[in-house]
Amino acid sequence: MMSRLIQNSARAALAGALVATAVAMTFVAERAAASEAVADAPAQQMWLLSTRQAPRSGNLEAAGEKIKYWRHTDNPRWEPASAKDLIQQSDPDAPTIVFIHGNRSNLNDAVCAGWPVYRQLQRCGEGHPFTFVIWAWPSDRAGRGPRDDAQIKACYSDAQSYYLADWLDQLGPDRSVNLIGHSFGARIVTGALHLLGGGQVAGRSLTPEPDRAHGPLQALLVAAALDADWLLPSRRNGLALSQVDRLLMTKNPRDPVLKWYPLMRHRGGPEALGFVGLIGRGQLGPQREKIEVFSIANSVGRAHTWAKHLASAGLRRQFARLAFSEPSKPKP
C-alpha cells in the first residue's frame, strides 16, 4: 500500500515538473517571439487607431473591440491589427508619437492629415526609430450649425480624453510618448493628461491605482480649442501639467475659427487657449517652466485648417524637436 502511494506521489511530482517546464518553455517562447517581432519590424512604423465606433457617451469602460487598429505595411496597405500587436511589434525604446486630428474630419481625412506628419518625422529623424499613431475619432460634421457642431464635438472630446488616458495607461512606464493635438484634438490631449493625473473629465476618472506610472510624456497643442485658463490649478484640466515633461503650444490671434470660440456656449464666453495663449501663467509656480508658447500668426495667418498649419516650416520643426530631443527639466 505504502509502495503504491510512493509511486503515485512520484508520478504526480513528475507530471507537475513537466507542466512547470512546459509553462516555462511557453513563456520563453512567447518572449522570444515578441522580441523577434520587434527585431524584424521596421524601425519607423505607422499605425491607425480608430475610436469612431466606440461609445461617445455613457459607460465607456466596455469599448473593447469597438476600438479598431490597423498597421501600415510596405505593400503598401493597412492591415487589421490589435492593441496587443501595437505594443508587441513596436520598439519600446523608440518614441511613440500620437497625432490627434481636429474637428470635421472623417476617417480618410484623419489619415490624410497624419500622413505628412509621419513623412516629416521620417525626414527629420534621419533613420531614428519611432512609432507613429494616427488617433481617428468621430469628428464628422454634426448638428444644425457651427455652434451645435462645436458643442457636440466638445462632448465627444470628453469621451476621447478617457479613451486616450486609458490607452496611455496601458502602454506601461517604459515607453516615451509625444502627443500632437490640433484644435479639439488638443482638448482631448489635455483632458487625457488630467485624467492620468487623477482628475475627472465630465464625471469620469480612471480606475484608482496606487502604483500607476507612465513613461516620459510631452505634448504639442496646435490651435488649441479649449479655455485659456483650463491648465491652471483647480481648473478643468488643472492636473495636466503634472504629467508632462514639456508642453508646447501655438498662439494665433488671427485664427478665424478660434476667434468665435467664446460663442460656443454663450455670448462673452472664455477665449481659446490657441487664440490668446495661456491666461494666468504666474499661478503655475515651477510648472510654468514646462510650457513654451510660440506665435504662428505670421506663418499661418487667418487659417485654422491642419493643411495650412503644415505649411508652416516653424511648426514642422517642432514635430521633430518634440520627438527626438530631450525635454528641458523644470526648475525646482
Side-chain angles (χ1 to χ4, degrees), residues 33-43 88-89:
S35 300
E36 185 178 351
V38 171
D40 292 342
Q88 289 187 344
Q89 296 178 22

Side-chain angles (χ1 to χ4, degrees), residues 142-227:
R144 295 173 295 178
R147 178 182 290 180
D148 284 347
D149 179 78
Q151 290 173 341
I152 291 169
K153 301 310 169 44
C155 293
Y156 288 178
S157 68
D158 291 340
Q160 294 302 310
S161 290
Y162 178 87
Y163 289 137
L164 178 58
D166 184 61
W167 184 78
L168 291 170
D169 195 35
Q170 294 176 38
L171 289 183
D174 300 324
R175 196 173 295 245
S176 173
V177 180
N178 305 296
L179 305 170
I180 302 173
H182 172 237
S183 190
F184 272 118
R187 188 186 187 104
I188 293 169
V189 168
T190 60
L193 294 173
H194 181 71
L195 286 165
L196 284 175
Q200 289 189 353
V201 173
R204 302 184 184 95
S205 60
L206 297 178
T207 303
E209 293 182 14
D211 56 347
R212 171 170 282 123
H214 57 71
L217 277 173
Q218 301 181 85
L220 169 61
L221 311 180
V222 181
L226 59 136
D227 291 13

Side-chain angles (χ1 to χ4, degrees), residues 38-59:
V38 171
D40 292 342
Q44 299 168 339
Q45 300 182 13
M46 180 160 60
W47 297 74
L48 175 62
L49 184 159
S50 174
T51 61
R52 293 172 58 85
Q53 302 304 317
R56 304 175 186 184
S57 61
N59 182 16

Side-chain angles (χ1 to χ4, degrees), residues 44-330:
Q44 299 168 339
Q45 300 182 13
M46 180 160 60
W47 297 74
L48 175 62
L49 184 159
S50 174
T51 61
R52 293 172 58 85
Q53 302 304 317
R56 304 175 186 184
S57 61
N59 182 16
L60 307 181
E61 297 180 4
E65 295 181 355
K66 293 187 177 180
I67 298 179
K68 303 297 184 181
Y69 292 79
W70 294 267
R71 178 181 168 185
H72 192 265
T73 66
D74 294 333
N75 289 353
R77 61 181 179 139
W78 291 98
E79 289 186 348
S82 66
K84 183 178 179 181
D85 292 333
L86 191 155
I87 293 174
Q88 289 187 344
Q89 296 178 22
S90 58
D91 186 349
D93 297 323
T96 297
I97 301 101
V98 185
F99 169 71
I100 305 162
H101 60 81
N103 195 12
R104 298 188 177 183
S105 298
N106 57 33
L107 187 60
N108 184 66
D109 294 332
V111 174
C112 291
W115 186 269
V117 182
Y118 175 69
R119 290 304 188 198
Q120 177 66 17
L121 289 168
Q122 284 186 312
R123 287 190 291 270
C124 297
E126 300 178 345
H128 193 289
F130 66 87
T131 300
F132 184 73
V133 180
I134 300 173
W135 186 283
W137 61 284
S139 68
D140 308 71
R141 186 188 299 267
R144 295 173 295 178
R147 178 182 290 180
D148 284 347
D149 179 78
Q151 290 173 341
I152 291 169
K153 301 310 169 44
C155 293
Y156 288 178
S157 68
D158 291 340
Q160 294 302 310
S161 290
Y162 178 87
Y163 289 137
L164 178 58
D166 184 61
W167 184 78
L168 291 170
D169 195 35
Q170 294 176 38
L171 289 183
D174 300 324
R175 196 173 295 245
S176 173
V177 180
N178 305 296
L179 305 170
I180 302 173
H182 172 237
S183 190
F184 272 118
R187 188 186 187 104
I188 293 169
V189 168
T190 60
L193 294 173
H194 181 71
L195 286 165
L196 284 175
Q200 289 189 353
V201 173
R204 302 184 184 95
S205 60
L206 297 178
T207 303
E209 293 182 14
D211 56 347
R212 171 170 282 123
H214 57 71
L217 277 173
Q218 301 181 85
L220 169 61
L221 311 180
V222 181
L226 59 136
D227 291 13
D229 65 350
W230 273 7
L231 297 180
L232 299 182
S234 76
R235 301 300 172 88
R236 197 174 194 268
N237 293 160
L239 297 174
L241 277 172
S242 68
Q243 301 302 297
V244 294
D245 297 319
R246 177 167 57 191
L247 180 66
L248 311 178
M249 63 179 73
T250 67
K251 175 183 175 181
N252 183 7
R254 300 174 63 188
D255 189 310
V257 173
L258 294 183
K259 175 182 178 180
W260 299 106
Y261 180 86
L263 301 181
M264 186 175 74
R265 284 171 286 185
H266 52 77
R267 185 177 297 277
E271 299 278 10
L273 180 67
F275 192 72
V276 298
L278 181 63
I279 293 177
R281 184 168 177 168
Q283 301 177 38
L284 295 173
Q287 298 276 24
R288 66 178 179 271
E289 301 295 335
K290 298 179 178 181
I291 300 174
E292 294 183 42
V293 182
F294 55 98
S295 175
I296 55 172
N298 291 335
S299 57
V300 176
R302 293 181 53 80
H304 185 75
T305 64
W306 182 245
K308 188 66 176 179
H309 282 85
L310 277 174
S312 169
L315 181 59
R316 292 199 304 272
R317 284 193 294 270
Q318 298 298 332
F319 299 156
R321 180 175 171 233
L322 190 75
F324 305 124
S325 66
E326 291 293 328
S328 57
K329 298 299 182 181

